[in-house]
Each structure stands twice: as C-alpha cells, then as structure tokens.
Amino acid sequence: MEILGHLLDGFLVAFEPLNLLLVVIGVAVGLFIGAMPGLGSVNGVAILLPMTFLVPPTSAVIFLAAIYYGAMYGGAISSIMLGIPGASTAVATTFDGRPMALKGLADKALIAAALASFFGGTISILLFTGFAPALAHVALDFGDPEIFALMLLAFATFVGLGGDDIPKTIFSICIGLVFSSVGMDIISGEPRLVFFDIIGFMHGINFLVLAIGIYGIGEMMWTIEVTRGNPKMSEAVVTVERTVSALRELLSTWKTALMGSVLGFFVGILPAAGATPGSLMAYGVAKMTSRKPEEFGKGEVAGVVAPEAANNAASTGAMLPMLTLGIPGSPTTAILLGGMVIWGLTPGPRLFLDETEFVWGLTASLYAANLFAVVINICFIPVFLWMLKMPFTVLAPIIFVLCLVGGYAPTQDMHDIWLMLGFGVGGYLLRKLDYPLAPAVLAIVLGPIAEPALRQSLMISNGDFSIFVTRPISGPITIIAIILIFLPVFQFIRKRSKKNAEAGSI
Amino acid sequence: MRRAELVTAVLMAAFSIYLMWKSAELEVGWVPDEGPGGGAWPFWLAAVMLACTVWIIINWFRKSTAPAQSTARYMDSYAMNMFLLVGGGLFVMIGLVHFIGMYGAIPIFLVYYLRILGRHSWTLTLSTSIGAPVVVFFFFDIAMRIDLPKGYLEPLFFPLYDIFL
C-alpha cells in the first residue's frame, strides 16, 4: 500500500507540465533516434545528456529515460522497413520483421512491434514497481565488498554473455577502468596518470568525453562506412481495415509477449547485459516453444512480438539495478548513472530514502512514456517512414556538431574536445577489428565506484582477497561472477570434446 | 585485416606497458595502514590489458578469430576516403574553434559536409549552416549560460550579449 502512495506522489511529479512535455519530446526524439539505422538509445542519451543541464535533475532523467524508451520502440521501424536494425537492441526484430515486410505485411509487423513493445513495457514497469523498493531495502546493508562484487558481476556479464571475443572484451573493460583512474587519486590525493604532464588530464577524463567520442563520432563513422549509400526501403500500406485484422491476429500471441516481457525484464536486471541479449534470448525461446518453429525467420508474427516485448522490458529492467544498487544494467543506463552523479544525486539504495520524489517521479514517468510511445508510434508511422528517407549526409554533420557542443558543455575545456575526437577515431579503428566498446564506457562510469570499494574492502581485510567470497552476500555474487567469466571456457571445452567425439566415431 | 589485427595488438601492448610504467610513478605495493597504493589499481589493470593483448596475438597466430583470418583490406578505398574526409573535416573544425570559435567553425563544417560531401542543394546547405549555430547560441549561450568559445569573433557577439544576457 505504501508503494501505491509513493507511486501516486510520483504521478504528481510526472504530470507536472514541464515533465510531461519532456516525456512527449523525449519519446518522439527517442523514436526518431531508434528508427535511424546506426543510432540507438545509447547514442541518443550520450549525445543529448549535456543538453539536459538546462532543466532540474529529475526532469533531465525523465527526459533521458523517455528517449531510452522511445528508442526501444523506434528500433523496430528500420529493422522492419530497411532490414537494418535501427539499434543493436532490435537485431532480433529483423529476423522475422524483414521477411514480413518483403511479403507486403510491413504494416502488420510495425503494429505488432509497437503493441508488443507496449505490452513488454507495461509488464516490466509493474514488475519494477514491485521489485525496486524491496531490492533497495536489501541493498541498504551492502558494504564495500558487496559493491565491488556487484561491479565484478557487471563486468563478468559482458565476458560471459556479451558474445564478443573474450580477450578484447576484457581489454576494453580494463582500458575503461584505467581511463577512469586518470586525474587525482582520491585516497592519497596525488595526481595520477597525467599523460605527458598535460594539464587537461588533471581533472580526469569525463565519462561523457569517452561516451560521446565512441557513440557520437566513432559509431557514426562506422555506420557511414557500413551503410554505403541508402538501403532499399519496403512499402507499407496502412488502412484501418488491415490494422483491425492485424490486431485480431495479435491477440493470439499474448503468451509469447508475456514470455518475452518477463524474460526480457530479468535479463535486463543482470548488470551490463541490457536489451540486446534480452531480445535475442526471447526470440530463441519463442522459436523453441512455438508449435510451428519452421515458420520463424520466414515472417512469423510471434518472431517480431517476442524480441520487441523483451527489449522494452529489458530497458526497464536495466533501470532497476541502476536505481537500487547504483550498478547500471545496460550501457545506456551507465550513461544515465554518470549523469545522475553530475546532477549531484548519489546512486544507490539511499536514493529510495533520500530522493523519493526523484525515484517515484521517474517510475511514474515510465508509465507515461510507455503510453505516449505507443500512441505516437502508431499515429505517426507515415512520418517515421518519411524520415527514414532522410539522407545520412544531412544527419551525420548535425550529429557531429551536437557532439562538438555537447562534449564542450560539461567541462568547458577544449582539451576534452580533442580527447573526444581521439576516442572517436580510436574507437572506430578498434571497432573495425571487433573490439567491443560498450564495456569501456560502462567501465569508465563504474571505475570511480569500483576502485574505492576494492581498496576499502582490502583495508578491512588487511589485503586478504578472500573477503569477497566469505561474506554472506558478496560471496554468492562473486562466485556467480567467476562462473560467468569462465562460462565461455566451459563452452569451448564442451565444443572441443564434442568435436573429438565426432572425429572418433568416424 | 590480418595485418591490422596484429599491428593493433602490438600497439595496444605497448600502450599497456606505458600505462603500467606511468602508474608505477605512484606507490604500486601495499602501504601500511593505507591499503593498496595509489598506483596499484591502474597498474594491475594495465597488466591485465597486457595479458589480453598477448592472448590476442596468440589467437592471431592460431588464426582463431574472424579479423585474424580475414583477407579483406582493413581500410578499403571507400573506408579510407570516408575516414580522411570525415575525420579530417572534424579535425579541421575543432582546430578552427581555437581561432574563430564554435560559431565560425560550425557553419564552415556544415557547408563542407552538406555541399561538398553530401552534394545537397544550396538552399538546404545554407539554411542548415545558418540555422544550426543560431539554435546552438540560444540554447547554450543564452538558456544554459554556457559560454562557448568564440575565438577572434568574440567582439561580434557583444551586441547580442547586451540584448539577451
């Protein structure tokens, strides 16, 4: 009952005219960003975060959360119409969405994606409202060893579930953590890693410099290279009659949508995993449990419903550890977390006690964002289709300009702009060689929390690392993290022994 | 692609060693009553980075990853052109900010990109190149009071400051 009271207060915050306006703008911007190939929620949030210094922190987070949300809806649009995922979170949507569009059922796929997203969003926000306060309550007892164990879990998730090359993933995590330690050593107060004695490094490397460099400049260059001219777009016929019949057919997929939502939510909660693995897993499970698995990949509507419900649910799920534990559940929430620190909010379980207005305002605004997203999405399908035709040579320079001014705003130092360009170019070159970059962005946000937690823990234990395994809460978390790190090794050994067995049988 | 993979790994290994050396300027070992020294955290992380690059190089010899097998060019002519034109454009734009400020550099960059790289009409080019800095000015300098660099163009803005600030 207490939760309902809080939620009601939250709605009062969410429905303040400024916040409501920001939700609507955020959702529309998010839909656009999500729909553009190569741009996803993480790019949008990274590039636009500096623009939110204009409004109070609560409104700023509400705006960014709305972008995050809208982008999850928007990603499906280009997956279906162009066959290129609008964001990595919508990769699974191309598997069946594109074949549907090629069969002339683009309108049905778009509506299925929008409604599945709405369904996933709704279920996950309900779960969020139920789980968040309880988890925050438990987390109040967390000490430094527990916090460090959670960090370890976040990085381990990338190694175990990220699916990228393992040494390159670990490399990316470590380089992000090292960059986060540039500047001043908090405990001894000495300057640290001031490269070539350049004074600009004294204030450290702001996470936004790395995030905008990688997601604004590096990703854009990568997208320009990969898309090479404009891809072919499918036609969509939208009529009321067709919409109604599509709706009727969708009703039969509610089980798939429910499975996708719940699965997506819980995968989203896992630190660092986020919406991409969530939607891929939901697609896999939907195919496995379907009565006609052979139809998947050829334009089965359930194949659009499952990943779309899951990626929206996961984006809400990712907010849960960010708000309750101070550990982001996805790269986008990592940037939101960094933003919260800039705005003077301390992430972690105390938020639920000290900043109730912020927490519940944000929660309530998620409900609002979800509703607006589905309405705007369905009503403006033709507008989004028209915008998809916008040439990249117009969008790209505008984004570069936004990166330039946005990168300057937080620290107001030209040194950071040059650094941003360096990170962008470096990120682009590494990305071409399959180095994953999201772990580095997550690491630079988490570094300033992880390092003191590790050092304090070691001070408590006098340098004994067993402190992380022997404490009742940090123990299991550390063990899960270690298992996740070694997961790919187990898979490798299994594959190899299978291969040997096959070779033996011949 | 294969050569680029190796060169990158070796460069990154060298960078890791540099980071380790740089971290070692601070205490890397255990400081009594203080816990690990200030350099320990980055030092050991850089050591892990070095280990990863060695692992990547081993994978390169075993040809077990996609970039280590690929015979495609790392930078084909399209990628190289794009890299030089876009990256170079950004480099020049940021360089110009030091002299003529954001409001001089942004329109020049937009005209370069839209007209020369994008081959768009002059109407679109000019409306964007003039519109964007105006929006940026009102958003940053006026609404957020973040003073963007103006370089030698600063005097031109005095009348605007008088009106809006």
Side-chain angles (χ1 to χ4, degrees), chain A residues 83-122:
Chain A
I84 311 171
S88 67
T89 50
V91 170
T93 313
T94 53
F95 300 162
D96 275 284
R98 184 60 179 166
M100 280 182 82
L102 293 176
K103 279 200 265 178
L105 297 172
D107 56 327
K108 193 168 140 191
L110 287 170
I111 291 168
L115 290 180
S117 297
F118 178 70
F119 191 82
T122 312

Side-chain angles (χ1 to χ4, degrees), chain A residues 183-200:
Chain A
M184 203 66 84
D185 173 23
I186 331 150
I187 294 182
S188 67
E190 291 168 278
R192 174 165 70 174
L193 291 177
V194 179
F195 303 117
F196 307 106
D197 293 323
I198 297 170
I199 204 84

